[in-house]
């Protein structure tokens, strides 16, 4: 079985109860995607990825980072499609989906549940 056979399946969520500080930092990683794109999640992931005690933060920041990279790609494609007039509608849909899914993920992460975004390219493993 190659690495590409199961590309779309999200990785399993970490199990166990996350401490309050990790839940808060995960909430911030998801919400920063609305305002900073992938930069906020990237910073949180880079700062916490080598600390084995912060597994929940690392997982959720990586998930937020992958989603924001996917959103950036969708924005680029939508901007190119503005020439064909469907891009304006797609830009609006991508923006609304980003807003709604980031808020949903932030609420789940704050309650200690690992969230997996739908339609996400999992580029960072």
């Amino acid at each position: 079985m190659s690495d590409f056979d199961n590309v779309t399946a999200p990785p399993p969520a970490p199990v166990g109860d996350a401490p309050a500080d990790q839940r808060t930092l995960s909430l911030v990683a998801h919400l920063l995607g609305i305002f900073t794109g992938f930069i906020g999640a990237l910073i949180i992931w880079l700062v916490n990825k080598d600390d084995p005690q912060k597994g929940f933060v690392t997982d959720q920041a990586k998930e937020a980072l992958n989603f924001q990279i996917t959103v950036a790609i969708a924005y680029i494609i939508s901007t190119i499609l503005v020439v064909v007039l469907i891009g304006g509608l797609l830009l609006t849909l991508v923006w609304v989906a980003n807003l709604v899914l980031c808020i949903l993920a932030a609420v789940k992460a704050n309650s200690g549940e690992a969230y997996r975004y739908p339609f996400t390219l999992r580029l960072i493993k």
Side-chain angles (χ1 to χ4, degrees):
M1 180 178 224
S2 73
D3 291 337
F4 298 106
D5 288 342
N6 198 6
V7 175
T8 58
V15 290
D17 194 26
D21 62 330
Q22 289 189 33
R23 291 189 313 222
T24 303
L25 202 52
S26 298
L27 166 104
V28 170
H30 289 293
L31 287 182
L32 278 176
I34 297 171
F35 305 106
T36 65
F38 66 88
I39 301 297
L42 176 65
I43 291 170
I44 291 174
W45 179 66
L46 286 174
V47 168
N48 294 298
K49 72 176 182 166
D50 295 327
D51 190 356
Q53 295 177 343
K54 294 195 176 183
F56 187 73
V57 174
T58 302
D59 176 67
Q60 290 302 292
K62 186 179 356 173
E63 186 69 18
L65 177 60
N66 281 326
F67 179 68
Q68 290 305 321
I69 291 171
T70 304
V71 167
I73 293 169
Y75 276 138
I76 291 168
I77 292 170
S78 298
T79 303
I80 293 169
L81 290 176
V82 165
V83 175
V84 188
L85 300 177
I86 191 136
L89 176 64
L90 289 176
L91 280 170
T92 305
L93 289 175
V94 170
W95 180 77
V96 169
N98 184 29
L99 181 68
V100 169
L101 291 174
C102 284
I103 291 172
L104 182 63
V107 169
K108 292 282 188 179
N110 195 39
S111 67
E113 298 176 44
Y115 184 77
R116 295 288 179 246
Y117 288 99
F119 313 114
T120 300
L121 299 173
R122 310 237 184 261
L123 302 173
I124 309 296
K125 302 228 182 226

